[in-house]
Amino acid sequence: DAGVIQSPRHEVTEMGQEVTLRCKPISGHDYLFWYRQTMMRGLELLIYFNNNVPIDDSGMPEDRFSAKMPNASFSTLKIQPSEPRDSAVYFCASSLGIGAYEQYFGPGTRLTVT
Amino acid sequence: GESVGLHLPTLSVQEGDNSIINCAYSNSASDYFIWYKQESGKGPQFIIDIRSNMDKRQGQRVTVLLNKTVKHLSLQIAATQPGDSAVYFCAENTGNQFYFGTGTSLTVIP
C-alpha cells in the first residue's frame, strides 16, 4: 500500500481565500483523523471519522473549518475564509481502529496564508 | 517582537551512545501508549507501543518503559545513529480519547 496520501504538499494562499486539503487513507482503515501542527501548539487533533461518519469534531477551531468524508477512500478539510493564523502543517492519519491502534500519518500539507 | 512557542526539550547524544527520552502523561486511566518519531518534513511514524498492563516492551534497538505509579513513559534507543535524529512524541490513549505530548528533539552528533 502507498500509505496515507495527502495533497497538495504545499499550499500558499491569500487571506480570505478558500483552501481545500485532501486525503486518501490506507485501504481498509475505518478511522481517519485530521491534525494540525504548529510551533505554538504542537500536534492538535481537529476531527476524526469512523466509517465516513464524523465522530468527534471538538478540535475544529471554528466554523471556518469543515471536513467531509464522502467515501471510504477520500476526505477533505476545507478552510473558508482562510486567515494567516491558519498557517500550519495539516496531517491526515488513518487506522484500523480507535484506542489501542497505531495511526499511520500522511506526509502533511504545509499551508501558508499570507 | 519575540515569538512565543513551544520550547521543545532537546537531547544531544554522541553516535553510538544510548538515548533516553522521557514523557509524563496526565491521565491515570490511560491504557495504551505509543511513541512516534517525526523527521523533518515528514509525518509522525510509529516506533513502539505498550499497554498499561505491561511495564516494559522491547523492539529493535528501542525499549519503552512504563511507570504507572508516577505516570511516566520513557523511550530508550540503543546505539543511537544519525538517522535517529528527529522529534519524538509520546501519545496516550484512554478509550476514544488520545493526546500527543509536545515532543523531544533528538540530535545525534556524528
Side-chain angles (χ1 to χ4, degrees), chain B residues 1 7-8 13 19 22-23 38 44-45 51-52 54 56 58-59 61 67-68 76 87-89 94-95 103-104 109:
Chain B
H7 294 284
L8 285 183
V13 298
S19 303
N22 297 304
C23 176
Q38 186 176 20
Q45 287 181 291
R51 295 178 187 270
S52 60
M54 304 170 68
K56 180 179 180 180
Q58 288 184 288
R61 284 202 306 119
N67 185 330
K68 294 180 286 294
Q76 300 178 0
V87 175
Y88 290 81
F89 294 93
T94 309
T104 295
I109 304 166

Side-chain angles (χ1 to χ4, degrees), chain A residues 9 33 35 37 39-43 45 48 91 98-103 105-106, chain B residues 4-6 32 34 36 38 41-44 46 51 89 93 95-98 100:
Chain A
R9 292 296 311 276
F33 307 84
Y35 290 90
Q37 187 175 43
M39 285 301 296
M40 294 288 291
R41 303 168 75 96
L43 194 64
L45 176 66
Y48 76 90
F91 289 103
I98 194 87
Y101 289 89
E102 172 191 353
Q103 294 182 26
F105 283 78
Chain B
V4 177
L6 289 175
Y32 180 63
I34 301 180
Y36 286 91
Q38 186 176 20
K42 297 183 179 180
F46 171 91
R51 295 178 187 270
F89 294 93
N93 173 265
N96 291 344
Q97 300 294 320
F98 42 91
F100 284 82

Side-chain angles (χ1 to χ4, degrees), chain A residues 82-95:
Chain A
S82 58
E83 297 182 3
R85 61 192 168 121
D86 301 330
S87 297
V89 180
Y90 290 81
F91 289 103
C92 176
S94 70
S95 68

